[in-house]
């Protein structure tokens, strides 16, 4: 086998142009992107990606949960593929880079190999995972979760959005409920490039984050039931106001993350009040909870504290309460050899780097269960993500893609 070229660079300008073209689909007035999973806009972004891949001569296939694989053959096509990618769905106030960067960086790697005529021993597949964000359908990372055997296909396809539509029906409607079995075959390695979505690389002026793992996540749906009643006639001491209980829990859930500082975080991102009428006491409050910590033991303690806070408030305020855990995502540790390939690729190209634990969940976290996996992070402005102002520089994005290329070549083998 020939020596691996250590100084090969991707076409950063082409990568940037592809990101900007993808960001046109679902673009918002504030410069961001709103492309919910399995929506018409998600279909449009998938169609654009598939068209680009077919133009580049890649073989495209789609599995039954809508994951897209675009394959560049290897010298030995019986070898397990080296897979790289991310997602094209976004948050409602999403940016141009969260997800799309990982997909288009992997695609740029393939285009660069074509430009210079490098053949790899193993095939390379660029993947788009379905419903990574979890903003429309819970839980997140659904497509990679089914691929990795964490979720049953029927469970994933049965996930329901706020309008009662299922992921399966929506995928069929947009033409992306494919014919292929989900997963099952071996994967040689999995790599994912992503903006950091936090402030560390920028603060420390590092270009590359060598991602060693991610923190754990637990998601819940909570419902508090009180009694709807007249706002003018019901004395304060006779009320069972669900929102007052909810307000106490909003504070308690914030406080529990502060108790486990500095690494714990907690978020209530959705809160619905019913019947939502100015002069009726709220009879029902529903809200989501997102708890995270890199240590599974601390996350379990946070889970216990959260549950007892709900029970205590419900008892004191005579409210009914229910907690449904909709996602339990233990902290993954990435493969030392793949992490080493990322570190070495950054070193060979002379990029500054540091090891980092991902604060966000990623499809890579599920892939790590079934294949040697690692991630490459690049800085984003002010560490802001899940916001339309999300921003990253063309230079940093190209650097991360260069590192992705180096890591993929290290695993795919160069002929
Ligand atoms: C995915 O965006 C997450 O919630 O970490
Ligand atoms: Mn993402
Ligand atoms: Mn995201």
């Amino acid at each position: 086998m020939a020596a691996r070229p250590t100084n090969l660079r991707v076409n950063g300008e082409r990568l940037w142009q592809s990101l900007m073209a993808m960001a046109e689909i679902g673009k918002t007035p504030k410069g961001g992107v709103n492309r919910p999973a399995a929506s018409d806009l998600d279909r449009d972004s998938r169609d654009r990606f598939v068209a680009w891949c077919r133009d580049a001569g890649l073989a495209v296939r789609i599995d039954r949960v809508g994951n897209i694989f675009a394959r560049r053959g290897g010298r030995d096509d019986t070898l397990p593929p080296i897979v790289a990618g991310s997602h094209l769905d976004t948050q409602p106030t999403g940016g141009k880079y969260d997800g799309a960067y990982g997909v288009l960086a992997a695609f740029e790697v393939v285009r660069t190999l074509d430009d210079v005529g490098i053949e790899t021993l193993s095939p390379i597949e660029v993947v788009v995972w379905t419903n990574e964000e979890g903003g429309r359908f819970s839980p997140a990372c659904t497509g990679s979760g089914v691929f990795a055997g964490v979720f049953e296909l029927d469970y994933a396809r049965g996930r329901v959005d706020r309008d009662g539509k299922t992921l399966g029906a929506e995928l069929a409607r947009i033409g992306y409920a494919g014919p292929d079995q989900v997963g099952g075959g071996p994967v040689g390695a999995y790599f994912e490039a992503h903006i950091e979505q936090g402030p560390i690389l920028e603060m420390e002026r590092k270009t590359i984050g060598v991602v060693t793992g991610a923190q754990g996540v637990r998601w819940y749906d909570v419902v508090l039931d009180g009694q709807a009643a007249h706002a003018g006639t019901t004395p304060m001491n006779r009320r069972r106001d669900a929102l007052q209980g909810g307000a106490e829990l909003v504070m308690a859930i914030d406080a529990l993350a502060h108790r486990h500082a500095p690494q714990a975080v907690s978020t209530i991102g959705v809160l619905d009040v019913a019947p939502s009428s100015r002069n009726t006491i709220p009879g029902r409050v529903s809200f989501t909870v997102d708890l995270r910590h890199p240590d599974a033991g601390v996350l379990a303690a946070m889970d216990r504290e959260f549950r007892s806070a709900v029970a205590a408030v419900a008892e004191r305020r005579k409210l009914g309460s229910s907690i449904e855990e909709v996602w339990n995502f233990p902290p993954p540790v990435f493969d030392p050899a793949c992490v080493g390939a990322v570190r070495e690729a950054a070193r060979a190209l002379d990029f500054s780097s540091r090891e980092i634990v991902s604060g966000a969940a990623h499809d890579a976290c599920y892939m790590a269960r079934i294949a040697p996996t690692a991630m490459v992070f690049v800085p984003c402005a002010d560490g802001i993500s899940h916001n339309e102002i999300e921003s990253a520089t063309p230079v940093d994005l190209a650097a991360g893609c260069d590192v992705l290329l180096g890591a993929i070549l290290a695993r795919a083998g160069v002929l």
Side-chain angles (χ1 to χ4, degrees):
M1 192 181 294
R4 182 156 39 93
T6 50
N7 56 354
L8 189 60
R9 301 290 184 120
V10 301
N11 183 335
E13 174 60 23
R14 183 172 55 192
L15 169 64
W16 180 258
Q17 293 306 333
S18 66
L19 277 162
M20 294 308 110
M22 194 56 89
E24 287 293 311
I25 302 173
K27 75 173 173 189
T28 64
K30 290 185 186 160
V33 179
N34 179 5
R35 218 162 42 216
S39 64
D40 289 357
L41 291 167
D42 188 15
R43 177 199 54 219
D44 294 348
S45 69
R46 289 160 172 266
D47 285 353
R48 183 162 293 185
F49 171 73
V50 167
W52 287 344
C53 289
R54 292 207 165 115
D55 282 352
L58 306 181
V60 176
R61 62 188 180 79
I62 297 153
D63 72 19
R64 294 176 68 202
V65 75
N67 298 320
I68 306 171
F69 298 86
R71 181 179 175 101
R72 181 180 194 262
R75 169 67 63 90
D76 182 351
D77 259 333
T78 65
L79 289 174
I82 306 304
V83 179
S86 193
H87 58 99
L88 290 175
D89 65 317
T90 75
Q91 291 286 320
T93 55
K96 300 184 186 81
Y97 309 98
D98 176 3
Y101 172 53
V103 172
L104 297 175
F107 183 47
E108 177 53 41
V109 165
V110 164
R111 293 210 268 195
T112 299
L113 295 178
D114 286 346
D115 288 346
V116 292
I118 289 182
E119 190 180 13
T120 54
L121 186 58
S122 305
I124 297 173
E125 293 188 358
V126 181
V127 62
V128 175
W129 301 111
T130 292
N131 190 49
E132 188 276 349
E133 289 291 1
R136 181 174 180 197
F137 300 97
S138 292
C141 301
T142 316
S144 54
V146 178
F147 189 93
V150 179
F151 306 129
E152 297 288 339
L153 176 63
D154 286 348
Y155 166 82
R157 291 175 53 84
R159 299 294 83 211
V160 178
D161 73 2
R162 281 162 78 93
D163 299 326
K165 294 179 178 158
T166 65
L167 175 59
E170 285 292 273
L171 283 171
R173 187 185 64 76
I174 66 166
Y176 278 91
D180 278 34
Q181 182 194 327
V182 188
V187 170
Y190 177 74
F191 293 102
E192 184 165 344
H194 210 284
I195 57 167
E196 180 201 335
Q197 308 184 275
I200 296 170
L201 295 176
E202 184 183 60
M203 262 168 18
E204 297 189 5
R205 298 182 191 283
K206 302 281 197 245
T207 304
I208 298 296
V210 178
V211 189
T212 55
Q215 61 181 344
V217 186
R218 294 178 82 152
W219 280 5
Y220 312 85
D221 285 343
V222 182
V223 179
L224 297 177
D225 276 309
Q227 187 172 50
H230 196 292
T233 60
T234 316
M236 294 308 281
N237 63 1
R238 291 176 68 105
R239 296 181 177 212
R240 291 170 53 225
D241 183 332
L243 180 58
Q244 296 304 321
E248 278 193 51
L249 285 170
V250 168
M251 302 302 286
I253 290 163
D254 186 66
L256 89 79
H258 284 286
R259 275 200 299 282
H260 295 282
Q263 288 180 297
V265 286
S266 67
T267 305
I268 294 168
V270 176
L271 191 145
D272 291 321
V273 179
S276 222
S277 170
R278 185 188 295 271
N279 50 354
T280 296
I281 296 163
R284 168 170 277 208
V285 160
S286 324
F287 58 94
T288 61
V289 177
D290 174 318
L291 303 180
R292 305 193 191 207
H293 198 282
D295 182 300
V298 178
L299 192 54
M302 292 167 66
D303 169 82
R304 287 192 295 276
E305 290 171 31
F306 152 66
R307 288 176 189 275
S308 66
V310 172
V313 167
E315 186 181 342
R316 186 155 32 78
R317 288 188 172 270
K318 299 186 175 47
L319 302 173
S321 70
S322 71
I323 298 173
E324 187 191 349
E325 182 165 50
V326 291
W327 200 28
N328 184 346
F329 185 88
V333 176
F334 290 154
D335 175 69
C338 285
V339 172
V342 171
R343 186 186 300 111
E344 174 53 26
R347 194 202 57 75
L349 293 166
D350 242 355
F351 292 130
S352 59
S353 69
R354 81 174 324 264
E355 292 199 350
I356 190 164
V357 174
S358 174
H362 296 286
D363 296 303
C365 302
Y366 279 153
M367 287 305 287
R369 296 186 182 205
I370 58 156
T373 291
M375 292 187 74
V376 182
F377 275 180
V378 294
C380 57
D382 293 325
I384 302 274
S385 183
H386 287 193
N387 187 309
E388 291 152 278
I389 65 170
E390 183 183 272
S391 169
T393 68
V395 170
D396 287 343
L397 294 164
C401 191
D402 286 332
V403 171
L404 182 69
L405 168 66
I408 288 175
L409 285 182
R411 295 299 292 215
V414 177
L415 293 172

